[in-house]
Amino acid sequence: MAVYQPKKRKMTAEINVVPYIDVMLVLLIIFMVTAPFVTQGVDVELPATHTAKTAAELAGENDSGAPIIVEVDKDGQLGLSVNNDDMIRGLQMTELLTRVKAELQLNPKTPVMVGGDARVPYSAIIETLDALNQAGVGSVGLMTEPLEQ
């Protein structure tokens, strides 16, 4: 007589990954939707070079003479030119701010322009702009070269 033996099933341990995939897709969509709102920065509208004004045009509009020019060279050294005089180079930030404030007290409408060498780190320009702002300079322009056509 034959003895009935039940089939032995082999137990397998498998994880059902479909719910995990669904959760991951939902998270991906959430991150894609919220990413544009999380970006940090400042909205700026840069002027086109065709509408940018030269220093002579700015001086003519303000009727205040030549602009005060602050330069940052490739080594991060500061320079200052007032009333189209020769550039005074190697100034410390405190000395530069003192001279700029003194000139602005004499003629408050004088435009202040900051120019930086193309090889200078961006942080050096920002530090100069920040220091001028803290010193009370209300409006500062950035100097550029016009595009060659």
Side-chain angles (χ1 to χ4, degrees):
M1 188 154 65
V3 178
Y4 176 76
Q5 291 182 346
K7 261 185 168 175
K8 288 188 176 179
R9 289 182 136 187
K10 195 174 193 181
M11 294 289 276
T12 58
E14 293 181 12
I15 297 176
N16 188 4
V17 294
V18 174
Y20 296 113
I21 293 172
D22 290 342
V23 169
M24 287 299 169
L25 287 175
V26 168
L27 288 175
L28 179 66
I29 291 171
I30 290 171
F31 287 129
M32 287 173 51
V33 169
T34 59
F37 302 114
V38 177
T39 57
Q40 295 179 352
V42 178
D43 293 330
V44 293
E45 187 174 330
L46 298 175
T49 56
H50 300 294
T51 60
K53 296 180 181 174
T54 64
E57 290 172 336
L58 284 173
E61 284 179 3
N62 292 338
D63 245 356
S64 59
I68 299 170
I69 298 174
V70 177
E71 284 188 354
V72 183
D73 69 5
K74 64 179 178 164
D75 301 320
Q77 298 293 319
L78 298 171
L80 177 68
S81 173
V82 180
N83 295 328
N84 291 330
D85 291 338
D86 291 337
M87 185 67 60
I88 303 169
R89 300 197 184 279
L91 296 173
Q92 296 296 320
M93 185 63 77
T94 55
E95 186 179 1
L96 176 96
L97 295 176
T98 304
R99 290 183 182 213
V100 169
K101 284 194 281 189
E103 282 298 321
L104 287 176
Q105 284 181 351
L106 294 175
N107 194 351
K109 291 189 175 189
T110 304
V112 178
M113 308 292 283
V114 174
D117 192 286
R119 296 165 288 192
V120 73
Y122 185 64
S123 61
I125 302 294
I126 295 301
E127 288 170 3
T128 305
L129 291 172
D130 186 46
L132 287 168
N133 189 8
Q134 288 180 358
V137 178
S139 176
V140 178
L142 294 174
M143 295 173 39
T144 61
E145 291 288 333
L147 287 175
E148 297 290 327
Q149 291 185 1

